[in-house]
Structures are given as structure tokens and as C-alpha cells.
Amino acid sequence: MADQALSSLKLLECGGGVSAPCCAKLFADLGAEVIKIEEPGTGDFTRTEGPFPGDVPDPEKSGLFLYLNGNKLGITLNLRSARGRSILQALAQKADILVENLAPREAEELGLTYAALEPINPALIVASITPYGFTGPYRDYKGYPLNAFHASGTGFRVGQPEREPLTMPCAQSSYAGGISAAAAIMTAVFARGVNGGLGQQVDVSEMEAEVCFFGSTITGFLAASDEMAVRPRMGHRLSALNASMRCKDGYVHLIATSADWWQRLGQVMGGPDWSQDPFFQDPANREKLADELEALLEPWLMERTREELFQLGVANRIPITPYYTTEEVARLPHLKEREFFVDIEHPAAGMLRYPGAPYKLSETPWAMVRPAPLLGQHNEEIYCGRLGYTREQLASLRTLGII
Amino acid sequence: MRLDQQQYPLAGIRVVDFGWVWAVPFMTQLLGDMGAEIIKVESHARLDSTRTQKPAPGRPAHPDWSTRFHAYHRNKKSITLNMATPRAIELVKRLIRVSDVVTDNFTPHVLENWGIDYAAISKIKPDIIMASLSSAGQWGPLRNLTTFAPALGAISGLETMVGYYGERPLGSTLAYMDPVAGTYGAFAVLAALSYRERTGRGQFIDMSQMEACITLIGEAMMDYAMNGRVWGAQGNRQRGMAPHNLYRCKGDDQWISIAVKSEEEWRSLCSAMGNPQWTQDPTFADQLSRWEHQDALDQHINRWTQGYGSYELMDMLQRAGVAAMPSLTTAQEVQDPHLLARGTWVQVDHPTLAGEIVYGNHWKFSRNPGGIYRHAPLLGEHNQYVLGDLLGISTDEIKALEEERVLY
């Protein structure tokens, strides 16, 4: 394997679900060695959650697990046993980074903090990704991605007025936390250069990541009471139009918030009277009458297909895009030409097509080198090859339920 | 001003930032919060639209008065260069020679037209790192796509799943991909910098925001790959979890999110509700059955939650070990005790607005905290610093450049 951007880094991953695995995967995909530590017997809980081929549950065939854990080495280790913890310390001694997403109290109990691991490896960077963070009154509160997303104030803005607020699908706040942690960890890697080689604790909260992602949209409110910023859900549009709209064969998203887009949209539609109405030239008025405006647009949209509207949008530089399903995304010629999707053969799940790289690096390409590990697949390689255990010792660790 | 590297570990890294609107500005905010020197190249001739959005209440739109712009341009510097003039392009090239990273989120032809695409600038600064975060990437049939995040999320499949379960796609209408792409971009730039540190080699990062968006819905893409199944609007549903929704609370438009996974959590919820009769109904006896009957389950829970305030419910349910959090309104978000305790909101004195509140740095570091050390720049505030101090151009010459509207 050619030298990749992060080939020099070694990372340990503890926990499960989406946040820590997605964070560690970003490192693995750029060449870092990632050892994923799973609980003996059960493993990462996403193994039980699917989706599964043919909807038949099988811990080696969970789609979410396979997607989030490619390029990693997988070992099992019982961190609740004293022996397990001492093995973890031996692994941490040789690592640059440990990323975990256990509840803060549990991470502290298991010694998965910088404070606990500093005596063993002062250069180690320990990153925790939790729903609410390692400090503050909610620190020990329970949270799933749904809760973190809504605790951030972001969820309140999604959905229709009068109805319940909505959530972004697929555990988005965990991705927000995971990707934020990856960037934070890389900064901590640079920081070792100014800290005389020392690592540190990095604390990332999913709630706070979402707050900061959207914090700039409420700054007007922070400056003083601003009606626009506090209006809930679909009413929060910065200015109309910015909405999902029905057309002949489905839905498109149309944005005509700027003066340019508004004018071009009017031109493309053949300049109906209302598009020339001085009243509607003011974005604030467009926002006030967003529903009426959408009704005026509807007949024109209903005569056109999503693709026709998409092409009109591209040709006239107006953001109009179809709402594509995952199937349509999977078949998009643009993504084929860019070789976005990657085909990976997995020993249990077989050949499947996975989403690929979020970015293309010219010198050190993102690469899918190995499929997600089977549970404990690399126990021998790591325990015998790296830590010097004999096969007999490995067998007895297994019998004791430590690996 | 020399930054203390102990506090700001990225001090010494210089970024020439052509980013505008949000995605790249958010990315360079993250790098700037940790000490990188961000020089935003902008111009009266092509103003970043966010410079005039959301001025402080009572103030008219003005390039220096946008509270939104202030939030994610803190710590940055601004130089006004009219890129339509050949002289400005020459100056940018000189600036790139003394910089480490170049960033942009234009459609691909813009930098090509200016003659400062990666192929060109890597000739004058071979170890430069360039990150371009366009809508659909630098090549491919959709390369010239101009779009903004809410629409981008629609063609990427993510926003198609936002809507009430079984109903039409609504989309979030949030510009979700801007901060996400910006964060991905920051990671990629730091990875490239670390490679450069080791090998002396720069590189080009082609980031398609559309592709980055698809990486967020791997679960749904895998279900399609495995089973040909297509996900419609998901509402607040999560496979295998019920209850898992937003429930109405006492007060005007107040909601709480409740998510239950294990049998233990279900029992805790039941006991917090006072074990009403309906919880004994066999249709709610196990996780699968609760999932299958979640609409009926939600109706029951909604009747209960409406008797309590959202924070009151949070306290009650969290004490019982149930994951429950209010869906914070903007007013609650800025006063939330947890966010206040974590220092999420930071006060910054901007020359146009004293004591302005912005969100802080959401990475908490135990040794090198980073943070906000300077207000967002006025338009062109650092022309003298960049041209004079960094490029050694004389005051007279700078004046001439202003008169010729190169510096504009």
C-alpha cells in the first residue's frame, strides 16, 4: 500500500453505533491503522440493527455496520475485566489516538480518558463523542441521536407549523459529532508539536456540534429579538422561496431567495404579472406570502417533470433540484463517471455497492482496502502479532471471556 | 499580532480563502478558531451575499453589519481584491507563494478563469494544498451545477427522507450540508497538511458536497444495495426503537423528544408515567410489537406529555433513566443552562456592534483551547497588513492600487 495521508497514525476505537465508528473510519480511509475494539460475543450494537440482506438478521451482515467499519482491524476485548483493561493499556501505549463514545461516567470507570491513560502514554489523544459532552448539567443524561438533535434547537426548525418537529434521518447528530471529532483530533495531532509531544483530552458533544453548525442562523436573535429567527419550522425560511414543491412527476426543491434567482425564475416562467409585481421584489414580502407564492408557482411546476425543471435550473443558474430517492442516487450517471460508489466483497455479506469518499485527494487518494471486520477477526494478528501473546494464551483469554 | 501557539495550535498556517456564503467559510472558521491565519479574499465587485444578510435589528443591510457573517468569520482577516483585474490576480499569486492552503467553494470554472486553479498555482507554490468544495465536484456531467444546501440535499437523497412518515418529502430547508461539508473539508485539509509535514508534498482536494452528503445516509444506501428497498419520508422513526418521536408538552409549541430502546428503558418510562393501564396492553408488550404499533403508542404518550412542561419532563424522565430532551426553541437554546455552562455562547465586541453574542468553538481541548480572539473583519480591513506587511508593497503603491480599483 502506497503512503497515504494518515499512514503514520494509529487509532483505537471503543464504543459503537455511528459517532465514534464514523470518526475512526475517516482516519482509516486515509491510511491510518484503526483497531476497532468490540465487546466479546455481541460486538458493536449496529451489528444487530441492520439493514440485513433479505431482512434476515446476522451480526456479520448489518449494512450500517459494514458501511461504517470498512478499512478497520477488529478485535474483541472485555473492558469490564481488569485483564481487559490492562490489555487496552498495552494497546494504548502504541497508539496515537483513542476515540470512544461511551457515556462519560462509563468512560471514566473503564479508564478511557486522557487523565487515566496519560501515565501510560502521555502523547495519546483521547477523544470522546457524547450526546451532551463531558461537562455541564446534562453530562450524565441519556441521549440518542434524536434527543441530541432536538436538544440543539435544530430539530425545532424542521417540519410543518402546528405539527411535531422533525429529525434528519440516519442519526445525523452522530455524524455531526463524529466528523467534528475527526477534525478536532487532527488539530490535536498538530498540537502535539507545540505541546512538547503531549496529547490531550478532546471533548465533542453532538448537541453542541449541531448548535454550532446552525448558530449563525440565529445570531440576529442573539443580537436582539428577531422574529424571523424564532419562527418555527417551515416558517423559518430566511426568505421565500426555499421549499419542496410538487411538480408533474414528483417533487423538486426550489430556492429563489436572492434577487438574481427571483428575476431569473420569473424570466424562465415567461414573466407572469405577479413575478413583476414590485411588492414581490422585496424578499421580506416574499417570505410573508410564501404560501400564496407557492400556489402561484404550482400550475407551472405541475406541467413540468423533475428532470425538465432540473435542466431549466442548471441552464439558468437557479437552484432547482429533484428530490431523488436512494435508488435514483445510486443510478446517477454523474456519480458513475466520478466512480463515487465502491464495490466491496465481504466474506459474509458478499459483494455490495457502498457509498465512497466524501473527498478526492490527488496525491493520497481515499481508498477502500478491506471490508469491515468479522467479530474478532484480527484477534490473533493483534494479540499474538503485536502484543506477543502465544496462541495458548489467546485461547485461555477467550475461555475467560476477555476476548 | 502573534498568537500564542499553546492556546492556538494551528498558528503559523496561512490560508488564502476564496470561500463564500457558508460551506468554506465554516471550514475556515474551524481552522481559524484553532489559530490558522485566514485571509478572506473578497471584493465590492463580488460581495459575499452573507455580508448583507441579517444585520443587527434596526440596522440596514451593510457589508459590515451582518450578524450572520460576524459569527463564522470571527478570527479572520479580509482583503478586497477585484479579481476582474489582472493586477489583482498577480497579487493573489504572490500571496499564495507565502501561504499554505487555498480554499474555495465556487463552481469549478471560476478559479480556472482567473488562472489560479490548482494546476496553475502548484507551479508557483509546489507544496500548496488546495481544497475546492463545489456542489458536485471538479469534473463529471454535473460539474457546473450551481446550488445551495437545501437543494443539494434533495439530489443527494438525504432531504428526500425528511418529512412526516409516509407523506411527501418536505426537506429540512436547513442548509445542513454547509457546516457538514465545511467540517469534512477541515479534516481533509488537516490530513493533507500532516502529509505535507511528513513528505513536503502538497495536493488538491476535490470535494463534491453532493458526495459528502451521500456519505451521511450510508444506512439507507446499504438497504437499497442489499434489498432494493427505497426509504421514503422517515418522520421521527428509527428502526427498532419505539417510542421514538417528538411529543407535545404544556405551553405554546413546546415539544419533547423521547427515545426508548431497551426493555429497561421502556419499564422506566412506564413507571415515570405512573404505569397507566394501557401500558399493560399486549400490543405494547415487547420492542417489536411497540415498533409495529408505534402510532397508537405515540397517541397514548402524547396525552400524558401534554400535562407537563418540556424541561419538567426532561428532569422527570432523565431521573428515571429515559432519554428525553426538549426540542429547544431559539429562545430556550440561547438560555439553556447546559450550553451556558459549557460556554457555547461567546460575547465578542465587533466595531459595529458591542457585546455581540456568537456561538463558540465546539471542540473542547484540555490543553490547547483555541477560541475567538478577534471580531470578524470589516470589508478590506487587512489590505494594509496583507499587501504591506506580508508582500512588502509600499504605502504609495497600495494607494495607487486603491485608485485603480484593484484593491476594491
Side-chain angles (χ1 to χ4, degrees):
Chain A
M1 194 59 216
D3 193 18
Q4 280 184 275
L6 303 180
S7 298
S8 61
L9 294 177
K10 289 182 165 43
L11 189 145
L12 302 175
E13 175 203 311
C14 297
V18 171
S19 62
C22 114
C23 172
K25 183 171 195 292
L26 298 182
F27 286 84
D29 293 349
L30 294 184
E33 181 194 88
V34 173
I35 300 176
K36 182 181 177 77
I37 298 170
E38 296 185 78
E39 205 151 325
T42 50
D44 186 334
F45 70 81
T46 57
R47 286 183 180 275
T48 64
E49 295 201 338
F52 299 106
D55 297 326
V56 180
D58 179 332
E60 299 300 356
K61 295 182 184 177
S62 157
L64 181 57
F65 179 85
L66 296 173
Y67 169 63
L68 289 174
N69 294 291
N71 277 339
K72 300 178 187 174
L73 302 168
I75 62 171
T76 50
L77 183 61
N78 181 359
L79 296 171
R80 278 172 192 82
S81 66
R83 190 67 187 275
R85 279 199 293 282
S86 82
I87 292 174
L88 178 93
Q89 291 176 351
L91 289 167
Q93 209 165 14
K94 298 170 195 280
D96 298 281
I97 299 152
L98 184 150
V99 57
E100 58 84 17
N101 61 352
L102 302 170
R105 197 181 289 157
E106 197 181 2
E108 283 166 358
E109 279 164 15
L110 299 180
L112 301 179
T113 61
Y114 182 73
L117 293 166
E118 184 180 9
I120 291 148
N121 179 2
L124 189 67
I125 293 155
V126 180
S128 74
I129 314 169
T130 55
Y132 315 113
F134 247 64
T135 61
Y138 305 161
R139 165 196 129 105
D140 292 321
Y141 279 10
K142 225 175 213 181
Y144 292 102
L146 175 86
N147 309 107
F149 190 74
H150 284 275
S152 76
T154 305
F156 189 70
R157 292 165 221 161
V158 184
Q160 290 173 324
E162 310 305 323
R163 300 178 74 182
E164 72 272 21
L166 289 174
T167 307
M168 304 287 282
C170 303
Q172 285 312 309
S173 59
S174 292
Y175 285 95
I179 300 165
S180 293
I185 291 167
M186 275 314 299
T187 304
V189 170
F190 276 90
R192 290 201 297 204
V194 300
N195 295 335
L198 296 175
Q200 62 191 308
Q201 180 77 40
V202 176
D203 165 17
V204 174
S205 116
E206 294 184 13
M207 171 187 181
E208 208 171 13
E210 293 285 3
V211 167
C212 295
F213 277 11
F214 293 99
S216 65
T217 63
I218 64 163
T219 47
F221 178 84
L222 293 170
S225 179
D226 176 345
E227 193 203 349
M228 202 192 279
V230 293
R231 279 170 64 183
R233 303 200 275 294
M234 299 302 273
H236 86 287
R237 294 165 226 177
L238 286 172
S239 52
L241 298 159
N242 171 16
S244 133
M245 311 243 260
R246 210 171 140 209
C247 65
K248 197 173 180 177
D249 62 345
Y251 291 86
V252 288
H253 196 92
L254 192 155
I255 307 180
T257 48
S258 77
D260 283 356
W261 296 332
W262 174 250
Q263 272 163 20
R264 281 188 230 128
L265 179 66
Q267 282 159 14
V268 168
M269 294 179 67
D273 291 345
W274 53 265
S275 73
Q276 314 299 316
D277 188 335
F279 180 80
F280 279 138
Q281 307 313 308
D282 180 350
N285 291 336
R286 293 204 294 271
E287 195 206 318
K288 271 182 223 143
L289 294 183
D291 292 342
E292 287 81 351
L293 255 186
E294 286 173 28
L296 287 168
L297 273 163
E298 198 178 343
W300 182 78
L301 291 168
M302 289 302 290
E303 283 166 16
R304 284 161 181 82
T305 64
R306 295 182 310 163
E307 288 308 312
E308 283 165 3
L309 291 163
F310 190 23
Q311 291 319 314
L312 279 173
V314 172
N316 294 283
R317 288 179 294 122
I318 308 166
I320 309 177
T321 53
Y323 273 90
Y324 281 151
T325 63
T326 47
E327 177 173 32
E328 290 167 317
V329 167
R331 292 179 175 175
L332 215 59
H334 176 75
L335 297 173
K336 274 201 183 105
E337 187 163 323
R338 286 176 59 85
E339 299 179 337
F340 171 66
F341 291 101
V342 288
D343 292 325
I344 303 167
E345 174 82 32
H346 181 272
M351 183 69 92
L352 287 165
R353 183 156 292 183
Y354 294 62
Y359 26 61
K360 296 185 187 298
L361 277 67
S362 62
E363 283 285 309
T364 57
W366 183 99
M368 185 50 69
V369 178
R370 62 170 100 234
L374 302 168
L375 187 59
Q377 183 180 341
H378 302 97
N379 280 352
E380 192 173 322
E381 181 178 336
I382 303 297
Y383 291 123
C384 304
R386 305 281 177 85
L387 299 182
Y389 288 94
T390 64
R391 287 192 179 182
E392 290 70 31
Q393 286 171 317
L394 196 66
S396 75
L397 285 175
R398 194 170 289 135
T399 317
L400 292 168
I402 290 160
I403 68 166
Chain B
M1 172 173 148
R2 240 185 117 78
L3 288 182
D4 170 17
Q5 278 212 316
Q6 270 302 313
Q7 172 148 16
Y8 298 97
L10 299 181
I13 291 167
R14 183 173 295 139
V15 180
V16 181
D17 185 9
F18 289 97
W20 67 339
V21 188
W22 198 356
V24 165
F26 189 83
M27 157 170 134
T28 51
Q29 172 224 303
L30 295 175
L31 301 173
D33 283 355
M34 297 315 268
E37 181 178 66
I38 314 296
I39 299 172
K40 183 177 176 72
V41 181
E42 49 186 339
S43 172
H44 286 278
R46 192 181 180 142
L47 205 58
D48 184 331
S49 61
T50 58
R51 267 208 178 265
T52 52
Q53 279 175 11
K54 294 178 83 60
R59 308 289 282 277
H62 179 284
D64 292 330
W65 291 352
S66 161
T67 55
R68 177 168 185 217
F69 183 91
H70 294 171
Y72 51 74
H73 288 87
R74 75 278 191 103
N75 295 334
K76 298 182 190 177
K77 298 187 169 86
S78 162
I79 176 172
T80 45
L81 281 173
N82 180 1
M83 297 297 287
T85 64
R87 195 66 218 286
I89 292 169
E90 278 317 303
L91 291 168
V92 158
K93 287 182 178 169
R94 282 174 66 180
L95 179 58
I96 289 171
R97 273 194 206 105
V98 295
S99 299
D100 304 285
V101 180
V102 177
T103 56
D104 83 283
N105 55 327
F106 292 128
T107 37
H109 56 85
V110 175
L111 292 186
E112 269 168 42
N113 292 348
W114 292 341
I116 52 166
D117 54 335
Y118 179 70
I121 64 167
S122 61
K123 288 196 184 81
I124 58 171
K125 179 79 162 77
D127 68 351
I128 197 80
I129 289 158
M130 184 168 185
S132 293
L133 277 62
S134 61
S135 292
Q138 298 295 305
W139 44 278
L142 291 176
R143 75 187 283 263
N144 287 324
L145 181 68
T146 308
T147 192
F148 282 78
L152 183 87
I155 43 167
S156 310
L158 170 70
E159 296 287 3
T160 312
M161 296 185 279
V162 178
Y164 294 93
Y165 186 78
E167 297 182 23
R168 58 172 285 187
L170 271 183
S172 66
T173 75
L174 297 172
Y176 188 66
M177 265 325 280
D178 280 298
V180 177
T183 310
Y184 260 140
F187 173 74
V189 163
L190 291 166
L193 278 166
S194 127
Y195 181 73
R196 189 191 72 169
E197 203 165 73
R198 226 169 61 237
T199 63
R201 299 174 71 101
Q203 60 183 316
F204 178 60
I205 300 163
D206 169 17
M207 179 159 152
S208 150
Q209 293 193 42
M210 185 179 175
E211 288 162 1
C213 188
I214 299 166
T215 67
L216 306 175
I217 55 166
E219 196 175 343
M221 294 305 307
M222 294 304 287
D223 203 9
Y224 174 72
M226 287 174 159
N227 300 311
R229 184 179 292 128
V230 169
W231 294 16
Q234 294 296 297
N236 288 313
R237 291 185 174 206
Q238 174 66 36
R239 199 184 18 249
M241 290 176 73
H244 189 277
N245 208 340
L246 273 289
Y247 302 90
R248 200 183 279 278
C249 304
K250 198 158 78 182
D252 178 27
D253 207 15
Q254 297 289 300
W255 302 84
I256 189 151
S257 62
I258 300 176
V260 167
K261 192 174 192 172
S262 68
E263 210 51 43
E264 188 192 342
E265 288 168 348
W266 167 246
R267 280 194 298 272
S268 302
L269 174 64
C270 291
S271 92
M273 292 188 293
N275 291 310
Q277 191 59 43
W278 65 262
T279 55
Q280 311 302 320
D281 189 318
T283 49
F284 306 130
D286 60 56
Q287 193 185 12
L288 181 65
S289 187
R290 286 192 292 276
W291 160 257
E292 284 167 348
H293 299 94
Q294 60 183 298
D295 289 337
L297 178 64
D298 285 347
Q299 281 180 18
H300 283 297
I301 296 173
N302 250 316
R303 274 196 286 275
W304 177 71
T305 54
Q306 287 185 47
Y308 303 91
S310 60
Y311 273 103
E312 189 185 359
L313 273 176
M314 171 188 83
D315 290 341
M316 196 193 304
L317 291 173
Q318 288 287 355
R319 251 199 318 273
V322 178
M325 290 303 278
S327 188
L328 295 184
T329 65
T330 304
Q332 290 167 335
E333 181 186 346
V334 300
Q335 293 162 15
D336 182 78
H338 184 72
L339 295 175
L340 292 178
R342 280 178 66 82
T344 306
W345 306 113
V346 179
Q347 193 165 320
V348 181
D349 280 322
H350 191 275
T352 71
L353 193 61
E356 191 173 9
I357 307 289
V358 301
Y359 61 93
N361 179 357
H362 68 283
W363 310 337
K364 311 290 189 219
F365 279 43
S366 60
R367 273 188 216 282
N368 317 88
I372 303 179
Y373 64 92
R374 192 183 187 290
H375 61 79
L378 303 170
L379 185 59
E381 187 181 341
H382 301 91
N383 287 351
Q384 176 62 42
Y385 163 78
V386 174
L387 297 184
D389 298 10
L390 293 183
L391 301 183
I393 293 170
S394 72
T395 315
D396 288 349
E397 211 177 328
I398 293 172
K399 195 163 269 169
L401 288 167
E402 271 166 16
E403 278 157 17
E404 292 157 29
R405 290 208 160 186
V406 171
L407 263 184
Y408 173 66

